[in-house]
């Protein structure tokens, strides 16, 4: 089935810094979604982005389906951005597969 | 809208006991699913449903049963709990769109299960 790899596994930044999180997938996907899991365990939708670019405030995401990767950009990071960021890919063969996540820690 | 609700929030079982984790959504979503999340890992799909009366297996279905008698409810049953089933369980729902079996997923708050 499809393999989903996220990098880096851990990222520590100072408040105000920018970051780029990457999601690579091994096969073509029908859908791709980015989630944020906050320190209390709650999973929050960020982007539904099988292709193209989307922006929502300080966050934006780009998926290049032909090259099998997606990027999540966080600008001017805040302590509330801390948590784990997951990408999840869906293909008809493999159903939905989550990456192992990037743990982001924003220091004040 | 309450969104996706799960009960209980916490549960401790002994090996061999059975129980049902409840999941309900009030968004009239066709697609519902159950995941487990083990420490330091992403979510893994257990079972899913594309509508009332229709269920299918995900990546890790062994030891779990599901049914979908209504659009709103999607309970997950542990038949004979084992310590390997200690995990956090998330239920999710989404619409079904043409061209893809799921759209944005909305997650419940999770159930933390410990099997002794």
């Amino acid at each position: 089935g499809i393999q989903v790899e996220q990098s880096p596994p851990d990222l520590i930044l100072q408040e105000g810094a920018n970051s780029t999180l990457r999601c690579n997938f091994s096969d073509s996907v029908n859908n791709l979604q980015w989630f944020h899991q906050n320190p209390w365990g709650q999973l929050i939708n960020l982007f539904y982005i099988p292709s193209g670019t989307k922006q929502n405030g300080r966050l934006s995401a780009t998926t290049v389906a032909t090259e099998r990767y997606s990027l999540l950009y966080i600008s001017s990071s805040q302590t509330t951005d801390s948590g784990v960021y997951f990408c999840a890919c869906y293909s008809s063969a493999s159903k939905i597969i989550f990456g192992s996540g990037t743990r982001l820690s924003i220091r004040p | 809208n309450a969104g996706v609700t799960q009960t209980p929030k916490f549960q401790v079982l002994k090996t061999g006991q059975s129980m049902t984790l409840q999941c309900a959504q009030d968004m009239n979503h066709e697609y519902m699913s159950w995941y487990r999340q083990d420490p330091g890992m992403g979510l893994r799909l257990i079972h899913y449903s594309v509508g009332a009366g229709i269920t299918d297996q995900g990546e890790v279905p062994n030891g779990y049963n599901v049914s979908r008698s209504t659009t709103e409810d999607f309970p997950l049953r542990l038949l004979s709990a084992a310590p390997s089933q200690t995990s956090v369980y998330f239920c999710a729902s989404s619409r079904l769109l043409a061209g893809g079996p799921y759209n944005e997923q909305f997650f419940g708050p999770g159930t933390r299960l410990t099997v002794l």
Side-chain angles (χ1 to χ4, degrees), chain B residues 20 26 31 66 74 79-81 87 102 106:
Chain B
T20 299
D26 61 359
Y31 188 93
V66 293
F74 191 43
L79 307 174
S80 178
S87 190
Y102 89 102
F106 296 88

Side-chain angles (χ1 to χ4, degrees), chain A residues 16-28:
Chain A
N18 302 329
S19 58
T20 301
L21 283 58
R22 188 176 181 101
C23 173
N24 291 337
F25 42 96
S26 61
D27 204 346
S28 58

Side-chain angles (χ1 to χ4, degrees), chain A residues 26-41:
Chain A
S26 61
D27 204 346
S28 58
V29 298
N30 296 338
N31 298 309
L32 186 145
Q33 197 168 355
W34 283 97
F35 297 94
H36 175 217
Q37 187 169 38
N38 66 23
W40 297 270

Side-chain angles (χ1 to χ4, degrees), chain A residues 54-70:
Chain A
K54 290 186 178 180
Q55 181 157 7
N56 184 4
R58 296 181 296 103
L59 274 61
S60 64
T62 295
T63 297
V64 184
T66 53
E67 297 187 22
R68 300 180 182 169
Y69 72 89
S70 183

Side-chain angles (χ1 to χ4, degrees), chain B residues 49-88:
Chain B
S49 167
V50 297
I54 306 170
T55 64
D56 203 349
Q57 297 180 350
E59 185 183 357
V60 288
N62 292 341
Y64 307 95
N65 274 359
V66 293
S67 60
R68 184 110 178 257
S69 57
T70 66
T71 300
E72 295 77 20
D73 300 298
F74 191 43
L76 178 72
R77 296 181 188 84
L78 280 70
L79 307 174
S80 178
S84 61
Q85 294 178 304
T86 294
S87 190
V88 180

Side-chain angles (χ1 to χ4, degrees), chain A residues 10-14 78-79 81-83 103-107:
Chain A
D10 295 280
L11 189 58
I12 301 173
L13 298 173
Q14 288 295 124
Q78 301 174 358
T79 55
D81 295 330
S82 296
R103 183 174 298 276
L104 179 64
S105 300
I106 305 297
R107 301 292 168 83

Side-chain angles (χ1 to χ4, degrees), chain B residues 44 61 93:
Chain B
R44 291 185 291 169
S93 75

